[in-house]
Amino acid sequence: MNSITEKMFELQSIMLSQEPAQGAVSDRVTQLRGEVPGALLAHFDRLVLRGKRAVAKVRHGVCGECHMRLPSGVAASLAQAEDVVLCETCSCYLLPSLEEIAEQNKLKEESRARRLQKIRRALASVD
């Protein structure tokens, strides 16, 4: 689903640029709007019409629009890329940076390693 968020981020970049839409740019906007589901696009349009950014990049667990720290569960779900995630504070769609995904995957692996180590110790003490 992050591909949809990436498309909305590109659409937002085009719409918020100061340059007027030209032929190729106008075609790209039309193409991007066609690739985003209607319900997501409606929320996107409401935010943009209010003069807000609709898609915010996440860096170090912080929303790029409202600068509030995201709950750990939300930050972890961003790395899974299964669903579109909204910021609970500003209602922006959240787009994780590559560093954010790598960081969450690293934390997940460290947690898995600690669990395995704990299980091995428990099994060794039983014998």
Coordinates of all heavy atoms in Angstrom, one line a residue, residues 5-15 28-29 32 44 55 95:
T5 N 0.5 5.5 -1.3 CA 1.0 6.7 -0.5 C 2.0 7.5 -1.3 O 2.1 8.7 -1.3 CB 1.5 6.3 0.9 OG1 0.5 5.4 1.5 CG2 1.7 7.5 1.8
E6 N 2.9 6.7 -1.9 CA 4.0 7.4 -2.7 C 3.4 8.1 -3.9 O 3.8 9.2 -4.3 CB 5.0 6.3 -3.2 CG 5.9 5.8 -2.1 CD 6.6 4.6 -2.6 OE1 6.5 4.1 -3.7 OE2 7.5 4.1 -1.8
K7 N 2.3 7.5 -4.5 CA 1.6 8.2 -5.6 C 0.9 9.5 -5.1 O 1.0 10.5 -5.8 CB 0.6 7.3 -6.3 CG 1.3 6.2 -7.1 CD 0.3 5.2 -7.6 CE 1.0 4.0 -8.2 NZ 0.1 2.9 -8.6
M8 N 0.3 9.4 -3.9 CA -0.3 10.6 -3.4 C 0.8 11.7 -3.0 O 0.5 12.9 -3.2 CB -1.1 10.3 -2.2 CG -2.4 9.5 -2.5 SD -3.6 9.4 -1.1 CE -2.7 8.3 0.0
F9 N 1.9 11.2 -2.6 CA 3.0 12.2 -2.3 C 3.5 12.9 -3.5 O 3.7 14.1 -3.5 CB 4.2 11.5 -1.6 CG 5.2 12.4 -1.1 CD1 5.1 13.2 0.0 CD2 6.4 12.5 -1.8 CE1 6.0 14.0 0.5 CE2 7.4 13.3 -1.4 CZ 7.2 14.1 -0.2
E10 N 3.6 12.1 -4.6 CA 4.0 12.7 -5.9 C 2.9 13.7 -6.4 O 3.2 14.8 -6.8 CB 4.2 11.7 -6.9 CG 4.7 12.2 -8.3 CD 4.9 11.1 -9.3 OE1 4.9 9.9 -9.0 OE2 5.1 11.5 -10.5
L11 N 1.7 13.3 -6.3 CA 0.5 14.2 -6.6 C 0.6 15.5 -5.8 O 0.4 16.6 -6.4 CB -0.8 13.4 -6.5 CG -2.1 14.1 -6.8 CD1 -2.1 14.5 -8.3 CD2 -3.3 13.3 -6.5
Q12 N 0.8 15.3 -4.5 CA 0.9 16.5 -3.6 C 2.0 17.4 -4.1 O 1.8 18.6 -4.1 CB 1.1 16.1 -2.2 CG 1.4 17.2 -1.2 CD 1.6 16.6 0.2 OE1 0.7 16.3 0.8 NE2 2.9 16.5 0.6
S13 N 3.1 16.9 -4.4 CA 4.3 17.7 -4.9 C 3.9 18.5 -6.1 O 4.3 19.6 -6.2 CB 5.5 16.8 -5.1 OG 5.9 16.1 -4.0
I14 N 3.3 17.8 -7.0 CA 2.9 18.5 -8.3 C 1.9 19.6 -8.0 O 2.0 20.7 -8.5 CB 2.3 17.5 -9.3 CG1 3.4 16.5 -9.8 CG2 1.7 18.2 -10.5 CD1 2.9 15.4 -10.6
M15 N 0.9 19.3 -7.2 CA -0.2 20.2 -6.9 C 0.3 21.5 -6.1 O -0.2 22.6 -6.3 CB -1.4 19.6 -6.1 CG -2.1 18.5 -7.0 SD -3.4 17.7 -6.1 CE -4.6 18.9 -5.9
R28 N 0.1 13.7 -16.1 CA 0.6 12.9 -14.9 C -0.4 13.0 -13.7 O -0.6 12.1 -13.0 CB 2.0 13.4 -14.6 CG 2.6 12.6 -13.4 CD 2.9 11.2 -13.8 NE 3.5 10.5 -12.7 CZ 3.4 9.2 -12.5 NH1 2.7 8.5 -13.3 NH2 3.9 8.7 -11.4
V29 N -0.9 14.2 -13.5 CA -1.9 14.4 -12.4 C -3.1 13.6 -12.6 O -3.6 12.9 -11.7 CB -2.3 15.9 -12.3 CG1 -3.5 16.1 -11.4 CG2 -1.1 16.7 -11.7
L32 N -2.1 9.9 -12.0 CA -2.0 9.6 -10.6 C -3.3 9.6 -9.9 O -3.6 8.7 -9.0 CB -1.1 10.6 -9.9 CG 0.4 10.6 -10.2 CD1 1.1 11.8 -9.7 CD2 1.0 9.3 -9.7
F44 N -7.7 13.1 0.7 CA -6.5 13.8 0.2 C -7.0 15.2 -0.3 O -6.4 16.3 0.1 CB -5.9 13.1 -1.0 CG -4.8 13.8 -1.7 CD1 -3.5 13.6 -1.2 CD2 -5.0 14.5 -2.8 CE1 -2.4 14.3 -1.9 CE2 -4.0 15.2 -3.4 CZ -2.7 15.0 -3.0
V55 N 0.1 14.3 2.7 CA 1.0 13.2 2.9 C 2.2 13.8 3.6 O 2.8 14.8 3.1 CB 1.4 12.6 1.5 CG1 2.3 11.4 1.8 CG2 0.2 12.1 0.8
L95 N 4.0 8.5 5.1 CA 4.9 7.8 4.1 C 6.2 7.6 4.8 O 7.0 8.6 5.1 CB 5.1 8.7 2.9 CG 6.1 8.2 1.8 CD1 5.5 6.9 1.2 CD2 6.3 9.2 0.7

